[in-house]
């Protein structure tokens, strides 16, 4: 466990008084699932504390700030870069992890055109609350992690697959900030009149104790990235459409990466597009997809809803190592995913990789889950694209596909094929983790990059130099094609140095004008670039919240 400060016993007594004995965890076994990242990262902690209300969270934060311990805020722990878990044991004062998933709730406002979400609110819960009203959140299943939280998405620049909406973003938030003087202050930027005293403000927002008259229109403050649809269409720009360190979308809670204590965010919701058409596209020529992308983005009336790319290798790994998760989501829906995810985390914390190995064995008994036409395209083509368009653009899209891809290189999905195609793409990231767990004897690790290529890049495929290629068992390429954001997972052989391998990849990406990470935050895998590092320093001048994120200094006052 991490080195405790001399005041640790007093702090633990105080935290126990706030949340109760059951919700203060101190043993290594009890805290294990909170201290290990989903894909990477692990470290020690003095304690894990699980507040059950916003007022409890405020009091927990006050106690931790006063005790001068390092604080790591954690929601669903679904991140891919280890940014919501400790990384090693060397933290000033020791680490207290504040897990917020007990504080779930949301309030629909302005005729459900906007929503206020609390820290434990999941995307799945928000999607279900909006569905009867014909609306949906910024991200939906298929563009987000299992059980991911809404606030986690905002704080970590999560991107999602929906082309028109850009990364998760808002300028309307309620958060706590530790000043350079070591004092925790509550900042209300929600645009809702809630009073002045912190406990009153927090209790009222949690209850939804505010009238329509107290909710300001806040038209000048954005609750999503209004400019992204135009931004992504700039196909001749030599910069990426979205990436983690983009100063355009670093604002208080948005992109804060745990450097603030975020109590609530206010976000826009969107009408559900019911009249849509989904096309499945295959080709052996990547330049054909380049031509399709540029043709579609150059015509505003053809802006896609989603466009998801998969290479054949990613298709196969998702097929063989994501089949059981595909079946769980298809048969049980997404409502049970958070509970299943928590159970998986508890098992893996005690026996690393055990749940994946058990689930893989069970998956062997499942019948073929993919449509015959997808199977046929897998055999014929290495490059696959799932394209979802609004219904009024369907006819023009069919003609464009014939011109750019050829009549034999695409088919229009029925409802079942469309759902299965996107779900198959969705399980790809988890399938890579499964492969590592099952093949520990031959796999050293996964080197996972999410990369944003310049919008004007025409050659978007990668050919590894021979020496690097020789260290890879499988390379999985998949991503959000029209945003030019790609997930690149390298399953490297036993004996490979993953860090050295990744740093060599960075040099290749720098030469291509790429930005990385694109949408999963720097965590502990990436170095924060200067603009992002300056943003973190401004948010947390004392460096008490998530110190060391972005490979930055861990000492107080950024020493």
């Amino acid at each position: 466990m991490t080195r405790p400060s001399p005041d640790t016993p007093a702090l633990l007594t105080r935290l126990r008084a706030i949340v109760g004995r059951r919700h203060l965890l101190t043993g290594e076994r009890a805290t294990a699932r909170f201290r290990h990242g989903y894909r990477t990262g692990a470290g020690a902690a003095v304690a894990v504390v699980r507040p059950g209300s916003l007022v409890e969270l405020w009091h927990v934060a006050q106690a931790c700030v006063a005790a001068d311990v390092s604080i790591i805020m954690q929601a669903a722990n679904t991140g891919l870069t280890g940014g919501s878990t400790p990384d090693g044991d060397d933290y000033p004062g020791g680490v207290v992890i504040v897990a917020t998933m007990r504080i779930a709730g949301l309030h629909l406002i302005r005729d459900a055109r906007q929503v206020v979400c609390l820290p434990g609110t999941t995307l799945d819960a928000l999607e279900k609350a909006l569905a009867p009203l014909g609306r949906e959140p910024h991200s939906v299943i298929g563009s987000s992690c299992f059980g991911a939280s809404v606030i986690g998405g905002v704080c970590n620049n999560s991107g999602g697959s929906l082309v028109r909406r850009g990364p998760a973003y808002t300028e309307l938030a309620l958060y706590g900030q530790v000043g350079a003087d070591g004092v925790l202050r509550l900042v209300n930027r929600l645009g809702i009149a809630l009073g002045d005293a912190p406990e009153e403000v927090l209790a009222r927002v949690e209850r939804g104790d505010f009238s329509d008259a107290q909710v300001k229109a806040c038209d000048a403050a954005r609750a999503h990235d209004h400019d992204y649809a135009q931004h992504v269409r700039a196909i001749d720009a030599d910069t990426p459409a979205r990436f983690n360190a983009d100063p355009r979308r670093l604002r208080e809670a948005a992109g804060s990466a745990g450097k603030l204590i975020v109590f609530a965010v206010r976000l826009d919701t969107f009408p559900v597009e019911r009249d849509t058409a989904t096309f499945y596209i295959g080709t052996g020529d990547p330049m054909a997809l380049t031509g399709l992308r540029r043709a579609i983005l150059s015509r505003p009336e053809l802006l896609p809803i989603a466009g998801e790319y998969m290479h054949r290798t990613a298709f196969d790994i998702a097929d063989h190592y994501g089949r059981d998760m595909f079946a769980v989501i298809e048969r049980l829906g997404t409502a049970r995913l958070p509970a299943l995810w928590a159970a998986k985390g508890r098992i893996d914390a005690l026996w690393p990789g055990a749940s994946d190995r058990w689930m893989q064995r069970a998956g062997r008994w499942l019948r073929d889950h993919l449509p015959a036409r997808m199977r046929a395209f897998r055999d014929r083509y290495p490059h696959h694209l799932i394209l979802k368009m609004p219904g009024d653009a369907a006819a023009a899209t069919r003609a464009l596909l014939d011109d750019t891809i050829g009549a034999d290189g695409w088919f229009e999905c029925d409802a079942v094929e469309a759902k299965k195609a996107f779900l198959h793409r969705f399980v790809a990231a988890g399938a890579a983790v499964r492969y590592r767990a099952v093949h520990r004897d031959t796999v050293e690790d996964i080197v996972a990059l999410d990369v944003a290529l310049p919008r004007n890049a025409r050659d978007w495929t990668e050919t590894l130099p021979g020496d690097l290629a020789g260290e890879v068992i499988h390379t999985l390429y998949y991503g959000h094609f029209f945003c030019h954001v790609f997930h690149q997972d390298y399953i490297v052989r036993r004996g490979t140095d993953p860090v050295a391998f990744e740093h060599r990849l960075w040099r290749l990406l720098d030469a291509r004008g790429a930005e990385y990470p694109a949408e999963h935050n720097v965590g502990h895998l990436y170095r924060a670039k200067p603009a992002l590092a300056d943003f973190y320093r401004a948010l947390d001048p004392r460096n008490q919240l998530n110190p060391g994120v972005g490979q930055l200094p861990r000492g107080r006052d950024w020493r």
Side-chain angles (χ1 to χ4, degrees):
M1 303 294 281
T2 193
R3 292 197 303 266
S5 73
D7 296 330
T8 294
L11 173 62
L12 295 181
T13 299
R14 174 65 180 140
L15 295 177
R16 191 174 293 112
I18 295 169
V19 301
R21 184 174 300 275
R22 179 183 176 189
H23 298 296
L24 180 68
L25 312 176
T26 56
E28 289 209 36
R29 287 172 66 104
T31 61
R33 75 180 180 93
F34 301 92
R35 295 187 290 104
H36 291 76
Y38 162 54
R39 178 174 275 185
T40 187
V46 170
V48 174
V49 58
R50 303 173 63 238
S53 70
L54 292 183
V55 172
E56 284 189 5
L57 175 55
W58 173 252
H59 290 157
V60 164
Q62 284 182 312
C64 291
V65 170
D68 199 26
V69 295
S70 297
I71 304 166
I72 294 180
M73 302 299 300
Q74 185 182 101
N77 194 12
T78 59
L80 301 183
T81 59
S84 59
T85 54
D87 184 54
D89 305 341
D90 187 18
Y91 284 84
V95 168
V96 171
I97 299 172
V98 182
T100 61
M101 292 304 286
R102 291 182 63 218
I103 314 172
L106 60 91
H107 307 295
L108 300 176
I109 59 175
R110 305 189 73 191
D111 299 321
R113 288 180 289 116
Q114 290 188 321
V115 63
V116 174
C117 292
L118 305 185
T121 307
T122 63
L123 283 168
D124 177 72
L126 178 55
E127 190 173 354
K128 284 181 167 54
L130 291 171
L133 305 174
R135 300 190 73 83
E136 63 185 12
H138 167 273
S139 297
V140 296
I141 189 76
S143 64
S144 56
C145 294
F146 308 136
S149 70
V150 174
I151 285 183
V154 171
C155 294
N156 290 295
N157 303 96
S158 297
S161 67
L162 302 179
V163 176
R164 305 173 179 196
R165 299 179 190 173
Y169 178 77
T170 187
E171 298 167 5
L172 301 168
L174 176 67
Y175 58 86
Q177 183 172 30
V178 181
D181 56 1
V183 176
L184 176 67
R185 296 175 176 85
L186 186 67
V187 180
N188 183 3
R189 298 270 199 269
L190 277 178
I192 303 175
L194 296 164
D196 298 313
E199 285 85 353
E200 176 192 9
V201 171
L202 294 167
R204 288 184 63 187
V205 77
E206 184 166 359
R207 294 194 306 265
D209 180 15
F210 46 84
S211 66
D212 291 343
Q214 291 168 310
V215 178
K216 301 176 185 177
C218 291
D219 293 328
R222 304 292 179 88
H224 81 279
D225 187 347
H226 290 238
D227 302 325
Y228 189 74
Q230 186 64 35
H231 187 69
V232 76
R233 284 198 288 256
I235 56 176
D236 292 317
D238 60 2
T239 56
R242 53 181 167 95
F243 57 98
N244 202 237
D246 186 352
R248 296 175 59 251
R249 290 298 173 253
L250 297 174
R251 172 76 176 265
E252 297 180 340
S256 57
K259 304 303 285 183
L260 298 172
I261 299 168
V262 182
F263 295 95
V265 294
R266 177 175 165 183
L267 295 162
D268 289 334
T269 69
F270 303 86
V272 174
E273 298 200 52
R274 302 193 184 280
D275 180 21
T276 63
T278 298
F279 303 91
Y280 198 94
I281 301 156
T283 182
D285 179 10
M287 293 306 294
L289 293 183
T290 297
L292 176 65
R293 174 181 174 271
R294 292 181 63 84
I296 286 179
L297 292 180
S298 66
R299 296 169 58 177
E301 75 278 10
L302 293 184
L303 189 62
I305 298 169
E308 291 296 288
Y309 169 77
M310 288 185 80
H311 187 269
R312 178 188 281 154
T313 304
F315 185 110
D316 290 345
I317 296 295
D319 182 14
H320 294 293
Y321 296 92
R323 183 173 295 200
D324 57 289
M325 188 54 66
F326 185 108
V328 167
I329 298 172
E330 185 178 47
R331 297 175 188 179
L332 300 182
T334 56
R336 300 188 185 182
L337 285 181
L340 291 172
W341 188 262
K344 183 180 186 303
R346 286 191 290 270
I347 293 169
D348 289 339
L350 298 175
W351 304 286
S355 68
D356 283 301
R357 292 190 291 271
W358 298 341
M359 293 167 69
Q360 185 63 23
R361 293 190 190 102
R364 295 172 184 171
W365 298 97
L366 297 172
R367 69 175 189 273
D368 190 1
H369 58 301
L370 295 180
R373 289 201 288 183
M374 283 179 62
R375 289 272 181 220
F377 267 47
R378 180 265 166 220
D379 294 338
R380 290 167 56 189
Y381 303 113
H383 302 285
H384 298 243
L385 179 67
I386 312 160
L387 176 61
K388 186 176 182 179
M389 299 293 290
D392 58 8
T397 303
R398 295 183 192 106
L400 186 58
L401 288 171
D402 280 343
D403 290 342
T404 56
I405 303 297
D408 294 334
W410 65 275
F411 63 85
E412 189 165 350
C413 299
D414 60 30
V416 172
E417 289 172 325
K419 183 177 180 181
K420 286 179 177 286
F422 278 109
L423 184 51
H424 183 58
R425 157 65 186 89
F426 178 60
V427 301
V433 176
R434 171 71 55 78
Y435 187 100
R436 177 181 62 183
V438 172
H439 298 284
R440 271 297 186 185
D441 56 334
T442 59
V443 175
E444 183 67 33
D445 208 345
I446 301 169
V447 175
L449 300 178
D450 61 295
V451 176
L453 296 180
R455 285 165 284 175
N456 66 353
R458 295 173 184 261
D459 184 7
W460 49 273
T461 56
E462 177 184 70
T463 301
L464 288 176
D467 57 336
L468 283 180
E471 297 180 348
V472 175
I473 301 171
H474 294 295
T475 305
L476 282 62
Y477 298 106
Y478 52 98
H480 316 306
F481 187 67
F482 288 86
C483 300
H484 250 21
V485 168
F486 295 92
H487 303 287
Q488 302 179 179
D489 294 346
Y490 307 84
I491 302 173
V492 297
R493 301 181 187 281
R494 176 67 71 181
T496 298
D497 181 346
V499 175
F501 182 92
E502 182 170 6
H503 289 180
R504 293 175 67 192
L505 291 175
W506 290 355
R507 291 193 288 272
L508 297 176
L509 293 171
D510 290 341
R512 299 172 68 189
E515 291 280 356
Y516 49 91
E519 60 179 9
H520 287 141
N521 216 315
V522 288
H524 295 292
L525 293 183
Y526 300 91
R527 297 189 189 98
K529 294 187 176 181
L532 188 59
D534 290 345
F535 177 63
Y536 291 160
R537 289 187 177 96
L539 292 182
D540 182 19
R542 185 158 170 71
N543 199 25
Q544 190 168 358
L545 288 156
N546 211 3
V549 69
Q551 301 182 15
L552 294 169
R554 295 191 182 187
R556 291 289 180 263
D557 305 314
W558 297 90
R559 290 190 299 270

